[in-house]
Amino acid sequence: MAKSSSLVTKVSVQRRRRVHRPRRSPTKPERAAAADTFGSLAGCPSSPEHPVVPDLDDCVVDTAVDDAPVAAAEAAGRRASDETLAVHAGEKLGSGAAETDSIATPIVSGTTHWFRDSADLIAFREGRRRSFEYGRYGNPTVKVLEEKISAMERAEATLVTSSGMNAIVATLLALVPPGGHVVATADCYSEARAFIHDKLSKMGITSTFVDLDDDMEALESVLDEDEVTMFYADSMTNPHLKVVDVARVAELCHRRGALMCIDSTLASPINQKPLALGADVVLHSATKYIAGHHDVIAGCVSGSEALISRIRAWHHDLGGAISPNAAYMIIRGLKTLALRVEAQNRTALRMARLLENHPKIERVYYPGLESSPWHGVATRQMAGAGGVVSFEVASDMRGVMRFVDALELPLIATSLGGCESLVQQPAVMSYWGKSEEEKAKNGIKDNFVRFSFGIEKFEDLRDDILQALEKI
C-alpha cells in the first residue's frame, strides 16, 4: 500500500497564561544567597539534568500564539508523522487547551466555567480570551481530543460527538438545507441510509442512492440531471469492504458544486486521509479504531473551520455532547492507534491471503488482496487495508454457525476496530429475521462471515481459524 498523502501540520504551541502554583525554583533572595555561597563554582557549567527553572511570577506571559516554531518547521519541510501526532497533538503540540503541565491530559468534569469579572466575560464573548462557558458548548478535555483528531486528519477543525450516528445526523442537518438533494451510495451505513431516506424526506430533502460497483456513470448522471447538495459514502464499506475513489468522486462533485462527505470509520485516520484526497468532510464512529478498546461510544467529524462551525451549531441544539471522561479514554486510546492499526493491517492481510487459498473458503473480501476489484484504488489512496476481512465459507448457514461457534479466541459480537478480535455471521446477527429479498439486496448470504481482527498474535488467530474450519 502506498502511504496516504501527508501535509505539513501546523502545530502551534500557545504560551500558557500565568497559573498560580507552588514555586518550583528559588526566589530572588534565595538566588542571591546561593550566588554568594557558591560563587567559587561560577566557572562550572550548569548541569543539563537540573536546569534552572525561572520563577513564574517573574515571567511576562504572552497569551498569543507563537508561530515561529511553525514557520521554522515549514521552512525545513518537516512533517509530523501519524505516530507522533497520535501521542502529542492537542497536548504538547497544540494550543494547550487543558492548561496543565501534567503529561496526562486531566479530566475537567466541571459543567460550567466562571469568569473573574465582567471585563473578563466580555473579552471571552469578543473572542479576545480563550476559555469555555458551558459543557454542552465545549470542554478543555474534549478540546484536546478534537485537536488531536484534526492533526491526524489534516483538518482545520473537528467536532467530537456522543456517537457516530450523532455526528452523521448533525452533519446532514447542518449541510443539507430543506429542498436539498443528497446522493449516497447504496451500501453506506444502514442507519445513515435510513435517516437519509426516511427522515430527511420529511424535511423536503430528496435523496438518490447509487451503486459505484462498476463505474461512475450512475453518479455522473445524477450530478448532471439534478442540483446535488452532498454526496455521502462510506469508504471502506461494511461489510463488503468496497473502496470509493475519493479523489475522482471529489472532482466530479466539486465541478458541479456538491459537497463530499466520507465516513472513513473502517479505514481509520492511519490508513486514509479523505480530506487530503479532496473530500470536504470526514466522519468516524470513534467507538471503533480511534478509541480502540470497546469501552466508549463516540463520533467525530472533521473538515474546514467554516463547515465544522455550521455542524457545531446544530450539534449544540441536538445536545450530543460527549462526556469529559469518555474524551479522556479516547485520548488515551489514540496514543496507540498507529501501533494497533498497523498490527491489524498486517494480521488481516496475512489472514486474507491464507483464506483465499483455503479449500473451504469460496470468496474473500479484502481490498489488500490483488484479486480484489478495489485493490487498485486502495493502493493509490490508502496506507493499509484495515483489520476487517469478510469471507464466504463453503457451507450452509448451520455449517457456518458451527465454524463460528468452534472459534476459541474471537468473540461473537458486533462492532470492530478494538484490541480483541470479533466475529459475526450477519445472517444470524444483524440480518436475523430479515427477508431473503432484503438480505440479497444487501449482499448478505447465509455463509457470509465478517471478521474484525484485534491485536492478538497472528499465529494464534491462524491456528484457531484453521481448527474451526475443520469442524465444518
Side-chain angles (χ1 to χ4, degrees):
M1 290 290 175
K3 286 291 182 183
S4 55
S5 93
S6 174
L7 305 179
V8 175
T9 304
K10 294 188 176 182
V11 287
S12 303
V13 179
Q14 186 164 1
R15 298 177 182 175
R16 310 285 175 82
R17 290 189 293 274
R18 184 166 61 199
V19 179
H20 295 290
R21 62 182 72 174
R23 295 178 182 273
R24 299 189 299 178
S25 58
T27 61
K28 289 179 179 178
E30 289 171 339
R31 288 199 294 271
D36 292 339
T37 303
F38 301 103
S40 61
L41 301 177
C44 297
S46 61
S47 170
E49 297 181 357
H50 304 285
V52 176
V53 179
D55 193 330
L56 290 175
D57 287 343
D58 292 338
C59 296
V60 177
V61 182
D62 181 7
T63 60
V65 175
D66 184 0
D67 288 329
V70 177
E74 289 181 342
R78 293 198 301 271
R79 301 180 180 185
S81 67
D82 283 338
E83 291 85 348
T84 297
L85 292 173
V87 175
H88 293 298
E91 296 168 294
K92 187 174 184 182
L93 303 179
S95 68
E99 296 187 350
T100 178
D101 55 9
S102 169
I103 293 177
T105 293
I107 301 172
V108 181
S109 58
T111 59
T112 190
H113 300 258
W114 61 281
F115 300 90
R116 293 189 300 271
D117 49 37
S118 297
D120 189 37
L121 172 58
I122 292 171
F124 167 74
R125 287 295 184 189
E126 294 180 348
R128 293 181 285 107
R129 176 183 182 271
R130 189 196 66 202
S131 184
F132 301 88
E133 181 181 10
Y134 187 62
R136 184 155 56 89
Y137 308 140
N139 171 277
T141 309
V142 176
K143 182 64 174 176
V144 169
L145 174 57
E146 291 177 340
E147 289 189 5
K148 193 178 290 288
I149 295 173
S150 288
M152 299 192 71
E153 287 289 5
R154 313 300 192 256
E156 291 181 3
T158 292
L159 169 67
V160 173
T161 66
S162 58
S163 71
M165 195 62 205
N166 185 272
I168 293 170
V169 170
T171 298
L172 289 168
L173 292 177
L175 302 184
V176 184
H181 184 186
V182 177
V183 175
T185 50
D187 50 5
C188 67
Y189 178 45
S190 60
E191 292 194 29
R193 190 166 66 240
F195 182 80
I196 292 170
H197 183 271
D198 302 335
K199 303 297 193 304
L200 291 185
S201 61
K202 297 178 180 179
M203 305 175 191
I205 297 172
T206 58
S207 59
T208 302
F209 294 90
V210 297
D211 191 340
L212 299 184
D213 282 7
D214 299 323
D215 51 47
M216 297 288 179
E217 289 185 5
L219 176 59
E220 291 185 85
S221 176
V222 70
L223 286 172
D224 287 336
E225 293 175 4
D226 301 295
E227 187 173 339
V228 176
T229 310
M230 174 185 287
F231 172 78
Y232 181 96
D234 294 11
S235 189
M236 301 176 290
T237 65
N238 181 21
H240 293 95
L241 308 175
K242 301 174 184 177
V243 182
V244 173
D245 189 336
V246 177
R248 183 179 176 189
V249 175
E251 182 183 1
L252 292 175
C253 290
H254 294 159
R255 194 185 303 163
R256 295 161 175 83
L259 295 173
M260 182 183 192
C261 177
I262 292 292
D263 184 332
S264 193
T265 296
L266 267 74
S268 86
I270 298 297
N271 284 334
Q272 183 172 260
K273 310 286 188 197
L275 298 179
L277 293 167
D280 298 287
V281 177
V282 57
L283 295 161
H284 289 272
S285 170
T287 307
K288 311 303 190 295
Y289 286 107
I290 289 178
H293 290 76
H294 301 308
D295 57 5
V296 60
I297 292 179
C300 61
V301 52
S302 305
S304 68
E305 183 66 53
L307 291 178
I308 299 303
S309 293
R310 291 165 59 184
I311 299 170
R312 194 181 297 275
W314 266 94
H315 171 258
H316 292 342
D317 292 337
L318 293 172
I322 187 174
S323 77
N325 298 71
Y328 170 79
M329 293 173 72
I330 300 172
I331 290 170
R332 185 172 61 177
L334 263 171
K335 291 178 185 288
T336 61
L337 176 64
L339 299 175
R340 289 186 283 106
V341 170
E342 288 163 6
Q344 289 163 318
N345 286 343
R346 289 193 300 270
T347 295
L349 179 58
R350 294 177 70 184
M351 197 64 71
R353 288 171 174 166
L354 183 151
L355 292 171
E356 189 176 38
N357 294 295
H358 195 284
K360 292 188 178 180
I361 301 299
E362 293 182 345
R363 182 177 179 181
V364 178
Y365 299 82
Y366 190 69
L369 293 174
E370 292 184 4
S371 59
S372 169
W374 314 105
H375 181 72
V377 64
T379 301
R380 291 195 301 274
Q381 72 183 35
M382 300 180 70
V388 175
V389 177
S390 297
F391 51 93
E392 295 169 6
V393 182
S395 185
D396 57 12
M397 177 182 285
R398 295 293 175 183
V400 177
M401 290 171 65
R402 285 195 297 274
F403 162 70
V404 170
D405 292 345
L407 291 165
E408 297 175 359
L409 289 178
L411 305 164
I412 301 175
T414 187
S415 200
L416 56 97
C419 295
E420 300 85 2
S421 291
L422 306 179
V423 64
Q424 65 158 292
Q425 186 179 356
V428 177
M429 183 168 280
S430 51
Y431 283 85
W432 182 257
K434 305 291 186 182
S435 67
E436 293 300 320
E437 180 184 3
E438 184 170 358
K439 287 194 293 185
K441 180 181 177 181
N442 289 282
I444 302 300
K445 299 179 181 180
D446 289 343
N447 65 343
F448 188 91
V449 175
R450 193 194 76 177
F451 210 117
S452 171
F453 289 100
I455 60 172
E456 302 95 339
K457 190 175 181 64
F458 165 77
E459 288 77 10
D460 294 334
L461 291 166
R462 176 199 62 196
D463 294 346
D464 190 23
I465 289 176
L466 291 178
Q467 68 82 22
L469 284 171
E470 293 303 316
K471 300 297 191 295
I472 300 174

